[in-house]
Structures are given as C-alpha cells and as structure tokens.
C-alpha cells in the first residue's frame, strides 16, 4: 500500500466507525453544549463584555471538547486489541499518524462548525462579514490541537490514568495555540483590520508545521512496543 | 556504537569527582552571596529589594540549563537507548522543576514591591509557569508507565515536544503582552555595572555547579534504584521458581 492509501484508509476507518456508532461526535456535541450553557449562566454579560470575552469562551469550549474527541481517538482502538494490530501493521507509522490526525481534525471541525451557530445565537454575535476568516482561524488552530493531541492521545492510551494524563500533558503544550486562536478570533469578531492580528495566523502556521513534522517522526516511537 | 561505552564511561568517570563540583558550588554560592548581599550597592530605583535578583536570576538560568540538559539527554536517549542517560533525564527533570518552582516564588516576591503585584501575565512568567506544568506532567508521566524502557521512550518524546514548544510559548506570550524588564545581558552587550554583574555571574556559575552536583547524585540514586528493582525482581522470581520446583 502506498503512503497516501494508508492515510486514506485510516481516515476512512475512523469515519465509518464514527458514522456507525456516533459515539464521539454525540458526546463531544453534548459536552460542548453544556459548556456553552454553563458559561452563559456564569457570566451575565452585556454586549461590551461579550465582545471582550466571547473569543476565550469559544476556545475553552472547543479545546475541552477537542480533548474528549482526541481521547476517544485511541481508546476505541483498545477494543478487540485494534491498537496491537496498528502496532503490528507493516504500514508506515507516520501514515497512521497523519490518518488519525486528519480524522481528529475532521471530528473537531465538524463539532466546531455545528457549535458556532449556537454561540452566535446565545451571545448575539454579528459574524456575516468575517465568516470565511473565522473558518480559517478555526481550521488552523484545530489543526494545531490535533497535531499535538493525536501524538499524546496515542501516548496516554498505553499508560495508567489515561483520561487525566491527556489534558495534563496536552494543555500546557497547546498554550501558544490557545493564545493565538483567542487573539485572532477576538480580532475577527470585533471587525479589526486583518493586519492587526495576522501575526497570530502566522504563529499558528509555524506551530502547525513544526509539530506536524515533529509528531510525524516521534509517532513511531510511541506506537512501537 | 563506539561512542556509547565512552559516554557511559565518561559519566561513571566524572561521578568520582562529584565532591569537587559540590565544593566549588558551595564556594561560588558563598562568595556570590557575600558580594551580592553585602558589598554590592543598592539599586537606584529599587533600593535593597534588588538583592533578591542575585538568587532569582541565577535560579531561572539554572532551570533553563536543566531543561537543556533534559532536551539533549532525551534526544541522546532516543538515539542510543542507554538507561543511564534515561536516569539522567529523569534526574534533570525533577531538579529543573524544583529550580523553576523556586524561581517563580522568588520572582513573585520580587514582583510585589517593584510591580506592586504578586503575579502578572508577562511572557517570562507565562513561559516559566508553562515550563513548570510541562515538567510536572513529565514527572507524572514517569510514574504512570510500567515498563522502564517504555517509560524512558515516552518521557523523552514529551521532553522533546516540550523543548520545541518552549520558544513558541515564549514568543506567543511576548506578543500577547509584555512588562518584564529587558534582559540585562544580551548579544548587544552588557547593560549593568560591574559590581552587580560580578556577584550575579558568580551566583549563576554557583547554581549551575550545584545543579550539576545534585544531578550526579540523583542520577546515581535513580540508577541504583533501577538496579535494585531489577535484582529484587530476579530474586523474587528465583524464590518463586524454587517454590514451584518443590
């Protein structure tokens, strides 16, 4: 099998499993809705406060939801020893990583795209003009979370206390992604000129390149046992 | 392959001189303390408060030195898979975490009178707080894996990803907001006077030597613990086998 075929098959396998069970997406969606509700109860915000805080709220919800999805990405492989088959498979481990990462990216983006209208609705945002830019920010930041997250999901699934260890290891490393995503989203939502926050998009691109390449090489060490 | 025994032998060889490192560290720290606390002048703006700098700045330098040791050691471990290097990484992470924590505390004490706040979201503070979290995660991860070889491999992966991430965290936080006083020693030259720089450098050297000394002791200790566990395992399995034989 060629490299690209492996990636395609891993993504296909994850999507098919998800379409049949609907486990990951539904748990992510419900969790995220609860997070949005909790945030709207905990802050009684006027429109100025919303403009200041909404970007942070969006990304806290997205990051926590993403962690649920990332954790599930490899725990599902524990059933029927699928993880061992992935380890034994002669397919290049880097291709398995890229496949898993793409699948995680798709799940997280799907949830984000489904959730965003709820934010618009509950917090009364106007986003008509910046929607393309926002989607680009969501894509870049989610790619960053997924690049590091997939590596650590594969790592934590093979150790004790995996549900605790994934956020403990992932969130500190995702600090630059979070800062950049929140700042860029705030800029876009407040209608600031792109030049004021384009540096955050550059930072996200740099982060994505470094960590996709690094995780691609390191993944072999994680899956090898 | 020829490099592997030599680095191992080098570590074992240098271990014999660890007392010298400890002695030199004590000498440097005592001299540095004397110069810093007694003979150096108080700062024009900050007065006597500035003297905490002689502890805070060297501690922060040493914490970063510790992470550098951890980063290089992790790469080395993944290359050569030498358990002794793994012990060294484990030791470096623990002590780097301790130095980071003390640097954060002393920084906080210094920040209260000078910036009038215990904590602020400044790039260096953010980076050190994240560094502490990464190291805490690293040490937690170490306790969660059964197999020593797997433990070393996973820990090394985390240390490398963290090491790549730290500069990005710093730049992200710097763009985010900045308040910290600029570095006094940089590529553009030194911007502080000699009677402050001298004790500061001596303290930095002293803490680095202290770190090295502690690193040696801790590495040796972890190595012996691993050896003991392996022997204990072998003994237990022998006892078990003899019982099965009866």
């Amino acid at each position: 099998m060629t490299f690209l075929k492996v990636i395609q098959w891993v993504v296909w396998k994850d999507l098919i499993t998800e379409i049949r069970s609907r486990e990951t997406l539904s748990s992510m969606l419900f969790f995220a809705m609860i997070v949005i509700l909790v945030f709207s109860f905990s802050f009684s915000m006027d429109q100025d406060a919303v403009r200041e805080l909404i970007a942070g709220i969006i990304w806290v919800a997205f990051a926590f939801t993403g962690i649920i999805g990332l954790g599930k990405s490899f725990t599902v492989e524990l059933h029927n020893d699928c993880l061992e088959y992935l380890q034994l498979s002669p397919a290049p481990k880097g291709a398995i990583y890229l496949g898993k990462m793409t699948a995680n990216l798709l799940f997280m983006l799907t949830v984000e795209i489904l959730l965003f209208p709820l934010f618009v609705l509950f917090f009364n945002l106007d986003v008509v003009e910046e929607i393309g830019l926002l989607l680009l920010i969501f894509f870049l930041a989610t790619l960053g979370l997924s690049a590091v997250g997939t590596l650590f999901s594969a790592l934590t699934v093979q150790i004790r206390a995996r549900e605790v260890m994934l956020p403990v290891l992932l969130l500190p490393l995702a600090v630059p992604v979070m800062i950049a995503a929140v700042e860029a989203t705030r800029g876009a939502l407040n209608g600031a000129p792109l030049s004021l926050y384009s540096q955050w998009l550059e930072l996200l691109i740099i982060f994505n390149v470094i960590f996709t390449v690094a995780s691609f090489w390191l993944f072999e060490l994680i899956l090898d046992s | 392959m020829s490099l592997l025994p030599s680095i191992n032998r080098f570590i074992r060889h240098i271990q014999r001189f660890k007392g010298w490192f400890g002695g030199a560290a004590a000498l440097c720290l005592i001299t540095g303390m004397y110069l810093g606390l007694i003979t150096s002048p108080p700062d024009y703006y900050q007065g006597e408060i500035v003297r905490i700098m002689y502890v805070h700045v060297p501690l922060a330098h040493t914490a970063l030195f510790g992470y550098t040791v951890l980063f290089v050691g992790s790469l080395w471990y993944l290359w050569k898979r030498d358990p002794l290097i793994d012990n060294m990484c484990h030791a470096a992470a623990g002590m780097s975490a301790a130095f980071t924590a003390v640097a954060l505390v002393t920084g906080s004490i210094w920040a209260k009178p000078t910036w009038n706040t215990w904590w602020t979201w400044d790039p260096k503070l953010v980076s050190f707080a994240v560094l502490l979290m990464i190291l805490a995660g690293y040490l937690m991860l170490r306790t969660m894996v059964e197999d020593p070889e797997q433990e070393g491999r996973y820990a090394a992966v985390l240390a490398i990803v963290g090491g790549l991430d730290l500069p990005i965290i710093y730049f992200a936080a710097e763009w985010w907001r900045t308040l910290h006083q600029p570095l006094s020693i940089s590529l553009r030259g030194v911007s502080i006077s000699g009677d402050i720089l001298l004790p500061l450098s001596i303290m930095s050297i002293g803490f680095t030597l202290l770190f090295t000394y502690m690193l040696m002791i801790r590495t040796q200790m972890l190595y012996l613990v691993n050896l003991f566990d392996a022997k204990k395992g072998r003994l237990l399995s022998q006892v078990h086998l003899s019982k099965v034989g009866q």
Side-chain angles (χ1 to χ4, degrees), chain A residues 14 23-24 67-83 86 100 104 153-159 161-163 166:
Chain A
D14 273 14
E23 237 177 49
T24 309
I67 281 174
I68 290 190
L70 288 166
K72 283 228 165 217
S73 164
F74 277 90
T75 41
V76 290
E77 304 285 357
L78 289 175
H79 302 304
N80 301 325
D81 296 328
C82 294
L83 193 65
L86 280 183
K100 277 282 181 191
N104 285 333
S153 171
L155 191 153
T156 47
V157 80
Q158 299 176 68
I159 64 175
R162 61 179 78 97
E163 294 82 4
L166 179 61

PDB file of all heavy atoms in Angstrom, chain A residues 14 23-24 67-83 86 100 104 153-159 161-163 166:
ATOM      1  N   ASP A  14     -11.863   5.420  10.543  1.00  0.00           N
ATOM      2  CA  ASP A  14     -12.361   6.216  11.670  1.00  0.00           C
ATOM      3  C   ASP A  14     -13.722   6.827  11.349  1.00  0.00           C
ATOM      4  O   ASP A  14     -14.608   6.859  12.202  1.00  0.00           O
ATOM      5  CB  ASP A  14     -11.358   7.314  12.027  1.00  0.00           C
ATOM      6  CG  ASP A  14     -10.308   6.808  13.001  1.00  0.00           C
ATOM      7  OD1 ASP A  14     -10.230   5.576  13.152  1.00  0.00           O
ATOM      8  OD2 ASP A  14      -9.584   7.634  13.585  1.00  0.00           O
ATOM      9  N   GLU A  23     -20.587   7.725  18.482  1.00  0.00           N
ATOM     10  CA  GLU A  23     -20.227   7.880  19.881  1.00  0.00           C
ATOM     11  C   GLU A  23     -19.461   9.174  20.129  1.00  0.00           C
ATOM     12  O   GLU A  23     -19.842   9.976  20.983  1.00  0.00           O
ATOM     13  CB  GLU A  23     -19.325   6.714  20.283  1.00  0.00           C
ATOM     14  CG  GLU A  23     -19.840   5.917  21.446  1.00  0.00           C
ATOM     15  CD  GLU A  23     -18.930   4.753  21.728  1.00  0.00           C
ATOM     16  OE1 GLU A  23     -17.716   4.967  21.813  1.00  0.00           O
ATOM     17  OE2 GLU A  23     -19.432   3.626  21.850  1.00  0.00           O
ATOM     18  N   THR A  24     -18.387   9.372  19.362  1.00  0.00           N
ATOM     19  CA  THR A  24     -17.501  10.509  19.623  1.00  0.00           C
ATOM     20  C   THR A  24     -18.202  11.826  19.368  1.00  0.00           C
ATOM     21  O   THR A  24     -18.232  12.710  20.228  1.00  0.00           O
ATOM     22  CB  THR A  24     -16.258  10.403  18.733  1.00  0.00           C
ATOM     23  OG1 THR A  24     -15.699   9.103  18.878  1.00  0.00           O
ATOM     24  CG2 THR A  24     -15.222  11.433  19.110  1.00  0.00           C
ATOM     25  N   ILE A  67     -10.471  17.708  23.446  1.00  0.00           N
ATOM     26  CA  ILE A  67      -9.779  16.713  24.262  1.00  0.00           C
ATOM     27  C   ILE A  67     -10.613  15.447  24.390  1.00  0.00           C
ATOM     28  O   ILE A  67     -10.078  14.334  24.348  1.00  0.00           O
ATOM     29  CB  ILE A  67      -9.417  17.316  25.632  1.00  0.00           C
ATOM     30  CG1 ILE A  67      -8.172  18.180  25.448  1.00  0.00           C
ATOM     31  CG2 ILE A  67      -9.147  16.240  26.662  1.00  0.00           C
ATOM     32  CD1 ILE A  67      -7.769  18.939  26.628  1.00  0.00           C
ATOM     33  N   ILE A  68     -11.945  15.617  24.486  1.00  0.00           N
ATOM     34  CA  ILE A  68     -12.808  14.426  24.538  1.00  0.00           C
ATOM     35  C   ILE A  68     -12.654  13.619  23.263  1.00  0.00           C
ATOM     36  O   ILE A  68     -12.455  12.388  23.278  1.00  0.00           O
ATOM     37  CB  ILE A  68     -14.274  14.850  24.743  1.00  0.00           C
ATOM     38  CG1 ILE A  68     -14.432  15.386  26.156  1.00  0.00           C
ATOM     39  CG2 ILE A  68     -15.210  13.680  24.503  1.00  0.00           C
ATOM     40  CD1 ILE A  68     -15.842  15.611  26.552  1.00  0.00           C
ATOM     41  N   GLY A  69     -12.698  14.317  22.120  1.00  0.00           N
ATOM     42  CA  GLY A  69     -12.559  13.626  20.843  1.00  0.00           C
ATOM     43  C   GLY A  69     -11.199  12.967  20.703  1.00  0.00           C
ATOM     44  O   GLY A  69     -11.101  11.813  20.261  1.00  0.00           O
ATOM     45  N   LEU A  70     -10.144  13.704  21.092  1.00  0.00           N
ATOM     46  CA  LEU A  70      -8.787  13.160  20.960  1.00  0.00           C
ATOM     47  C   LEU A  70      -8.601  11.930  21.834  1.00  0.00           C
ATOM     48  O   LEU A  70      -7.982  10.945  21.431  1.00  0.00           O
ATOM     49  CB  LEU A  70      -7.761  14.228  21.352  1.00  0.00           C
ATOM     50  CG  LEU A  70      -7.586  15.369  20.365  1.00  0.00           C
ATOM     51  CD1 LEU A  70      -6.815  16.508  21.006  1.00  0.00           C
ATOM     52  CD2 LEU A  70      -6.871  14.890  19.117  1.00  0.00           C
ATOM     53  N   GLY A  71      -9.152  11.975  23.050  1.00  0.00           N
ATOM     54  CA  GLY A  71      -9.024  10.834  23.952  1.00  0.00           C
ATOM     55  C   GLY A  71      -9.699   9.603  23.350  1.00  0.00           C
ATOM     56  O   GLY A  71      -9.148   8.503  23.380  1.00  0.00           O
ATOM     57  N   LYS A  72     -10.880   9.839  22.769  1.00  0.00           N
ATOM     58  CA  LYS A  72     -11.624   8.713  22.190  1.00  0.00           C
ATOM     59  C   LYS A  72     -10.904   8.124  20.989  1.00  0.00           C
ATOM     60  O   LYS A  72     -11.055   6.935  20.685  1.00  0.00           O
ATOM     61  CB  LYS A  72     -13.012   9.207  21.752  1.00  0.00           C
ATOM     62  CG  LYS A  72     -13.957   9.371  22.906  1.00  0.00           C
ATOM     63  CD  LYS A  72     -15.269   8.722  22.585  1.00  0.00           C
ATOM     64  CE  LYS A  72     -16.113   8.535  23.817  1.00  0.00           C
ATOM     65  NZ  LYS A  72     -16.844   7.292  23.782  1.00  0.00           N
ATOM     66  N   SER A  73     -10.135   8.970  20.300  1.00  0.00           N
ATOM     67  CA  SER A  73      -9.494   8.552  19.057  1.00  0.00           C
ATOM     68  C   SER A  73      -8.697   7.258  19.225  1.00  0.00           C
ATOM     69  O   SER A  73      -8.713   6.405  18.339  1.00  0.00           O
ATOM     70  CB  SER A  73      -8.583   9.680  18.589  1.00  0.00           C
ATOM     71  OG  SER A  73      -7.688   9.221  17.634  1.00  0.00           O
ATOM     72  N   PHE A  74      -8.005   7.110  20.350  1.00  0.00           N
ATOM     73  CA  PHE A  74      -7.237   5.881  20.532  1.00  0.00           C
ATOM     74  C   PHE A  74      -7.860   4.919  21.526  1.00  0.00           C
ATOM     75  O   PHE A  74      -7.566   3.729  21.480  1.00  0.00           O
ATOM     76  CB  PHE A  74      -5.789   6.197  20.922  1.00  0.00           C
ATOM     77  CG  PHE A  74      -4.944   6.508  19.719  1.00  0.00           C
ATOM     78  CD1 PHE A  74      -4.819   7.805  19.255  1.00  0.00           C
ATOM     79  CD2 PHE A  74      -4.302   5.500  19.025  1.00  0.00           C
ATOM     80  CE1 PHE A  74      -4.068   8.086  18.124  1.00  0.00           C
ATOM     81  CE2 PHE A  74      -3.544   5.769  17.904  1.00  0.00           C
ATOM     82  CZ  PHE A  74      -3.431   7.061  17.443  1.00  0.00           C
ATOM     83  N   THR A  75      -8.733   5.398  22.438  1.00  0.00           N
ATOM     84  CA  THR A  75      -9.357   4.432  23.348  1.00  0.00           C
ATOM     85  C   THR A  75     -10.259   3.462  22.584  1.00  0.00           C
ATOM     86  O   THR A  75     -10.400   2.317  22.983  1.00  0.00           O
ATOM     87  CB  THR A  75     -10.157   5.099  24.484  1.00  0.00           C
ATOM     88  OG1 THR A  75     -10.871   6.187  23.938  1.00  0.00           O
ATOM     89  CG2 THR A  75      -9.274   5.584  25.592  1.00  0.00           C
ATOM     90  N   VAL A  76     -10.855   3.921  21.472  1.00  0.00           N
ATOM     91  CA  VAL A  76     -11.684   2.977  20.703  1.00  0.00           C
ATOM     92  C   VAL A  76     -10.827   1.845  20.144  1.00  0.00           C
ATOM     93  O   VAL A  76     -11.312   0.740  19.912  1.00  0.00           O
ATOM     94  CB  VAL A  76     -12.449   3.643  19.539  1.00  0.00           C
ATOM     95  CG1 VAL A  76     -13.540   4.549  20.047  1.00  0.00           C
ATOM     96  CG2 VAL A  76     -11.529   4.385  18.605  1.00  0.00           C
ATOM     97  N   GLU A  77      -9.524   2.129  19.939  1.00  0.00           N
ATOM     98  CA  GLU A  77      -8.637   1.100  19.388  1.00  0.00           C
ATOM     99  C   GLU A  77      -8.312   0.009  20.411  1.00  0.00           C
ATOM    100  O   GLU A  77      -7.719  -1.004  20.071  1.00  0.00           O
ATOM    101  CB  GLU A  77      -7.332   1.723  18.894  1.00  0.00           C
ATOM    102  CG  GLU A  77      -7.494   2.825  17.885  1.00  0.00           C
ATOM    103  CD  GLU A  77      -7.851   2.322  16.504  1.00  0.00           C
ATOM    104  OE1 GLU A  77      -7.920   1.088  16.323  1.00  0.00           O
ATOM    105  OE2 GLU A  77      -8.080   3.154  15.623  1.00  0.00           O
ATOM    106  N   LEU A  78      -8.659   0.260  21.701  1.00  0.00           N
ATOM    107  CA  LEU A  78      -8.342  -0.742  22.721  1.00  0.00           C
ATOM    108  C   LEU A  78      -9.256  -1.959  22.615  1.00  0.00           C
ATOM    109  O   LEU A  78      -8.864  -3.072  22.951  1.00  0.00           O
ATOM    110  CB  LEU A  78      -8.470  -0.139  24.121  1.00  0.00           C
ATOM    111  CG  LEU A  78      -7.393   0.869  24.506  1.00  0.00           C
ATOM    112  CD1 LEU A  78      -7.707   1.476  25.859  1.00  0.00           C
ATOM    113  CD2 LEU A  78      -6.020   0.229  24.533  1.00  0.00           C
ATOM    114  N   HIS A  79     -10.507  -1.739  22.121  1.00  0.00           N
ATOM    115  CA  HIS A  79     -11.421  -2.871  21.983  1.00  0.00           C
ATOM    116  C   HIS A  79     -10.890  -3.838  20.943  1.00  0.00           C
ATOM    117  O   HIS A  79     -10.363  -3.429  19.910  1.00  0.00           O
ATOM    118  CB  HIS A  79     -12.810  -2.391  21.550  1.00  0.00           C
ATOM    119  CG  HIS A  79     -13.394  -1.395  22.512  1.00  0.00           C
ATOM    120  ND1 HIS A  79     -13.548  -1.670  23.842  1.00  0.00           N
ATOM    121  CD2 HIS A  79     -13.817  -0.122  22.322  1.00  0.00           C
ATOM    122  CE1 HIS A  79     -14.054  -0.606  24.437  1.00  0.00           C
ATOM    123  NE2 HIS A  79     -14.222   0.340  23.547  1.00  0.00           N
ATOM    124  N   ASN A  80     -11.033  -5.091  21.183  1.00  0.00           N
ATOM    125  CA  ASN A  80     -10.605  -6.147  20.255  1.00  0.00           C
ATOM    126  C   ASN A  80      -9.131  -6.024  19.864  1.00  0.00           C
ATOM    127  O   ASN A  80      -8.732  -6.428  18.777  1.00  0.00           O
ATOM    128  CB  ASN A  80     -11.442  -6.138  18.971  1.00  0.00           C
ATOM    129  CG  ASN A  80     -12.905  -6.325  19.274  1.00  0.00           C
ATOM    130  OD1 ASN A  80     -13.248  -7.048  20.205  1.00  0.00           O
ATOM    131  ND2 ASN A  80     -13.762  -5.677  18.507  1.00  0.00           N
ATOM    132  N   ASP A  81      -8.325  -5.409  20.748  1.00  0.00           N
ATOM    133  CA  ASP A  81      -6.879  -5.285  20.502  1.00  0.00           C
ATOM    134  C   ASP A  81      -6.536  -4.609  19.186  1.00  0.00           C
ATOM    135  O   ASP A  81      -5.525  -4.926  18.555  1.00  0.00           O
ATOM    136  CB  ASP A  81      -6.209  -6.669  20.534  1.00  0.00           C
ATOM    137  CG  ASP A  81      -6.316  -7.304  21.900  1.00  0.00           C
ATOM    138  OD1 ASP A  81      -6.313  -6.547  22.881  1.00  0.00           O
ATOM    139  OD2 ASP A  81      -6.411  -8.539  21.975  1.00  0.00           O
ATOM    140  N   CYS A  82      -7.377  -3.674  18.755  1.00  0.00           N
ATOM    141  CA  CYS A  82      -7.079  -2.994  17.487  1.00  0.00           C
ATOM    142  C   CYS A  82      -5.748  -2.252  17.546  1.00  0.00           C
ATOM    143  O   CYS A  82      -5.042  -2.159  16.538  1.00  0.00           O
ATOM    144  CB  CYS A  82      -8.180  -2.004  17.151  1.00  0.00           C
ATOM    145  SG  CYS A  82      -9.723  -2.825  16.824  1.00  0.00           S
ATOM    146  N   LEU A  83      -5.412  -1.740  18.753  1.00  0.00           N
ATOM    147  CA  LEU A  83      -4.158  -1.000  18.883  1.00  0.00           C
ATOM    148  C   LEU A  83      -2.967  -1.886  18.537  1.00  0.00           C
ATOM    149  O   LEU A  83      -2.033  -1.458  17.862  1.00  0.00           O
ATOM    150  CB  LEU A  83      -4.030  -0.474  20.313  1.00  0.00           C
ATOM    151  CG  LEU A  83      -2.944   0.562  20.547  1.00  0.00           C
ATOM    152  CD1 LEU A  83      -3.241   1.829  19.781  1.00  0.00           C
ATOM    153  CD2 LEU A  83      -2.799   0.867  22.014  1.00  0.00           C
ATOM    154  N   LEU A  86      -2.623  -2.147  14.918  1.00  0.00           N
ATOM    155  CA  LEU A  86      -1.990  -0.940  14.365  1.00  0.00           C
ATOM    156  C   LEU A  86      -0.481  -0.995  14.573  1.00  0.00           C
ATOM    157  O   LEU A  86       0.304  -0.625  13.704  1.00  0.00           O
ATOM    158  CB  LEU A  86      -2.546   0.317  15.028  1.00  0.00           C
ATOM    159  CG  LEU A  86      -3.887   0.846  14.550  1.00  0.00           C
ATOM    160  CD1 LEU A  86      -4.218   2.140  15.283  1.00  0.00           C
ATOM    161  CD2 LEU A  86      -3.874   1.098  13.064  1.00  0.00           C
ATOM    162  N   LYS A 100      -4.864   9.402  11.458  1.00  0.00           N
ATOM    163  CA  LYS A 100      -5.554   9.666  12.723  1.00  0.00           C
ATOM    164  C   LYS A 100      -5.723  11.160  12.949  1.00  0.00           C
ATOM    165  O   LYS A 100      -6.775  11.620  13.407  1.00  0.00           O
ATOM    166  CB  LYS A 100      -4.728   9.068  13.881  1.00  0.00           C
ATOM    167  CG  LYS A 100      -4.980   7.600  14.104  1.00  0.00           C
ATOM    168  CD  LYS A 100      -6.286   7.446  14.848  1.00  0.00           C
ATOM    169  CE  LYS A 100      -6.599   5.991  15.122  1.00  0.00           C
ATOM    170  NZ  LYS A 100      -7.979   5.847  15.597  1.00  0.00           N
ATOM    171  N   ASN A 104      -9.192  13.164  13.407  1.00  0.00           N
ATOM    172  CA  ASN A 104      -9.465  14.008  14.573  1.00  0.00           C
ATOM    173  C   ASN A 104      -9.794  15.433  14.164  1.00  0.00           C
ATOM    174  O   ASN A 104     -10.700  16.063  14.718  1.00  0.00           O
ATOM    175  CB  ASN A 104      -8.252  14.032  15.507  1.00  0.00           C
ATOM    176  CG  ASN A 104      -8.117  12.745  16.283  1.00  0.00           C
ATOM    177  OD1 ASN A 104      -9.105  12.069  16.520  1.00  0.00           O
ATOM    178  ND2 ASN A 104      -6.909  12.400  16.661  1.00  0.00           N
ATOM    179  N   SER A 153      -2.532  11.495  22.466  1.00  0.00           N
ATOM    180  CA  SER A 153      -3.612  10.528  22.627  1.00  0.00           C
ATOM    181  C   SER A 153      -3.055   9.112  22.483  1.00  0.00           C
ATOM    182  O   SER A 153      -3.370   8.221  23.286  1.00  0.00           O
ATOM    183  CB  SER A 153      -4.673  10.801  21.576  1.00  0.00           C
ATOM    184  OG  SER A 153      -5.625   9.777  21.570  1.00  0.00           O
ATOM    185  N   ALA A 154      -2.175   8.924  21.481  1.00  0.00           N
ATOM    186  CA  ALA A 154      -1.564   7.605  21.297  1.00  0.00           C
ATOM    187  C   ALA A 154      -0.653   7.263  22.465  1.00  0.00           C
ATOM    188  O   ALA A 154      -0.523   6.101  22.845  1.00  0.00           O
ATOM    189  CB  ALA A 154      -0.774   7.582  19.999  1.00  0.00           C
ATOM    190  N   LEU A 155      -0.019   8.284  23.048  1.00  0.00           N
ATOM    191  CA  LEU A 155       0.888   8.045  24.175  1.00  0.00           C
ATOM    192  C   LEU A 155       0.102   7.679  25.430  1.00  0.00           C
ATOM    193  O   LEU A 155       0.382   6.675  26.091  1.00  0.00           O
ATOM    194  CB  LEU A 155       1.732   9.294  24.404  1.00  0.00           C
ATOM    195  CG  LEU A 155       2.921   9.207  25.346  1.00  0.00           C
ATOM    196  CD1 LEU A 155       3.960  10.240  24.961  1.00  0.00           C
ATOM    197  CD2 LEU A 155       2.525   9.435  26.782  1.00  0.00           C
ATOM    198  N   THR A 156      -0.929   8.497  25.759  1.00  0.00           N
ATOM    199  CA  THR A 156      -1.613   8.291  27.032  1.00  0.00           C
ATOM    200  C   THR A 156      -2.482   7.032  27.027  1.00  0.00           C
ATOM    201  O   THR A 156      -2.771   6.496  28.083  1.00  0.00           O
ATOM    202  CB  THR A 156      -2.499   9.494  27.385  1.00  0.00           C
ATOM    203  OG1 THR A 156      -3.253   9.848  26.238  1.00  0.00           O
ATOM    204  CG2 THR A 156      -1.664  10.668  27.815  1.00  0.00           C
ATOM    205  N   VAL A 157      -2.885   6.572  25.845  1.00  0.00           N
ATOM    206  CA  VAL A 157      -3.774   5.406  25.823  1.00  0.00           C
ATOM    207  C   VAL A 157      -3.051   4.163  26.335  1.00  0.00           C
ATOM    208  O   VAL A 157      -3.679   3.207  26.800  1.00  0.00           O
ATOM    209  CB  VAL A 157      -4.346   5.204  24.406  1.00  0.00           C
ATOM    210  CG1 VAL A 157      -3.359   4.521  23.493  1.00  0.00           C
ATOM    211  CG2 VAL A 157      -5.631   4.392  24.461  1.00  0.00           C
ATOM    212  N   GLN A 158      -1.717   4.190  26.296  1.00  0.00           N
ATOM    213  CA  GLN A 158      -0.972   2.999  26.714  1.00  0.00           C
ATOM    214  C   GLN A 158      -0.468   3.083  28.149  1.00  0.00           C
ATOM    215  O   GLN A 158       0.343   2.268  28.571  1.00  0.00           O
ATOM    216  CB  GLN A 158       0.213   2.789  25.759  1.00  0.00           C
ATOM    217  CG  GLN A 158      -0.265   2.578  24.333  1.00  0.00           C
ATOM    218  CD  GLN A 158       0.889   2.470  23.373  1.00  0.00           C
ATOM    219  OE1 GLN A 158       1.644   1.515  23.402  1.00  0.00           O
ATOM    220  NE2 GLN A 158       1.044   3.461  22.525  1.00  0.00           N
ATOM    221  N   ILE A 159      -0.902   4.096  28.920  1.00  0.00           N
ATOM    222  CA  ILE A 159      -0.421   4.222  30.298  1.00  0.00           C
ATOM    223  C   ILE A 159      -1.611   4.250  31.255  1.00  0.00           C
ATOM    224  O   ILE A 159      -2.767   4.268  30.829  1.00  0.00           O
ATOM    225  CB  ILE A 159       0.418   5.498  30.491  1.00  0.00           C
ATOM    226  CG1 ILE A 159      -0.436   6.744  30.278  1.00  0.00           C
ATOM    227  CG2 ILE A 159       1.609   5.491  29.553  1.00  0.00           C
ATOM    228  CD1 ILE A 159       0.310   8.013  30.561  1.00  0.00           C
ATOM    229  N   ALA A 161      -4.150   5.878  34.143  1.00  0.00           N
ATOM    230  CA  ALA A 161      -4.819   7.181  34.332  1.00  0.00           C
ATOM    231  C   ALA A 161      -4.861   7.986  33.038  1.00  0.00           C
ATOM    232  O   ALA A 161      -4.571   9.164  33.015  1.00  0.00           O
ATOM    233  CB  ALA A 161      -4.126   7.985  35.433  1.00  0.00           C
ATOM    234  N   ARG A 162      -5.231   7.325  31.932  1.00  0.00           N
ATOM    235  CA  ARG A 162      -5.123   7.993  30.640  1.00  0.00           C
ATOM    236  C   ARG A 162      -6.054   9.185  30.493  1.00  0.00           C
ATOM    237  O   ARG A 162      -5.706  10.170  29.855  1.00  0.00           O
ATOM    238  CB  ARG A 162      -5.373   6.998  29.508  1.00  0.00           C
ATOM    239  CG  ARG A 162      -6.728   6.342  29.496  1.00  0.00           C
ATOM    240  CD  ARG A 162      -6.816   5.416  28.314  1.00  0.00           C
ATOM    241  NE  ARG A 162      -6.127   4.168  28.551  1.00  0.00           N
ATOM    242  CZ  ARG A 162      -6.729   3.052  28.963  1.00  0.00           C
ATOM    243  NH1 ARG A 162      -8.019   3.049  29.179  1.00  0.00           N
ATOM    244  NH2 ARG A 162      -6.062   1.948  29.155  1.00  0.00           N
ATOM    245  N   GLU A 163      -7.246   9.125  31.140  1.00  0.00           N
ATOM    246  CA  GLU A 163      -8.185  10.234  30.988  1.00  0.00           C
ATOM    247  C   GLU A 163      -7.635  11.507  31.625  1.00  0.00           C
ATOM    248  O   GLU A 163      -7.937  12.603  31.181  1.00  0.00           O
ATOM    249  CB  GLU A 163      -9.540   9.909  31.630  1.00  0.00           C
ATOM    250  CG  GLU A 163     -10.308   8.785  30.955  1.00  0.00           C
ATOM    251  CD  GLU A 163      -9.847   7.412  31.408  1.00  0.00           C
ATOM    252  OE1 GLU A 163      -8.973   7.336  32.309  1.00  0.00           O
ATOM    253  OE2 GLU A 163     -10.337   6.409  30.856  1.00  0.00           O
ATOM    254  N   LEU A 166      -4.058  12.871  29.488  1.00  0.00           N
ATOM    255  CA  LEU A 166      -4.131  13.563  28.194  1.00  0.00           C
ATOM    256  C   LEU A 166      -4.235  15.079  28.363  1.00  0.00           C
ATOM    257  O   LEU A 166      -3.392  15.804  27.833  1.00  0.00           O
ATOM    258  CB  LEU A 166      -5.262  12.989  27.328  1.00  0.00           C
ATOM    259  CG  LEU A 166      -5.418  13.666  25.971  1.00  0.00           C
ATOM    260  CD1 LEU A 166      -4.164  13.509  25.138  1.00  0.00           C
ATOM    261  CD2 LEU A 166      -6.601  13.113  25.213  1.00  0.00           C
TER     262      LEU A 166
END
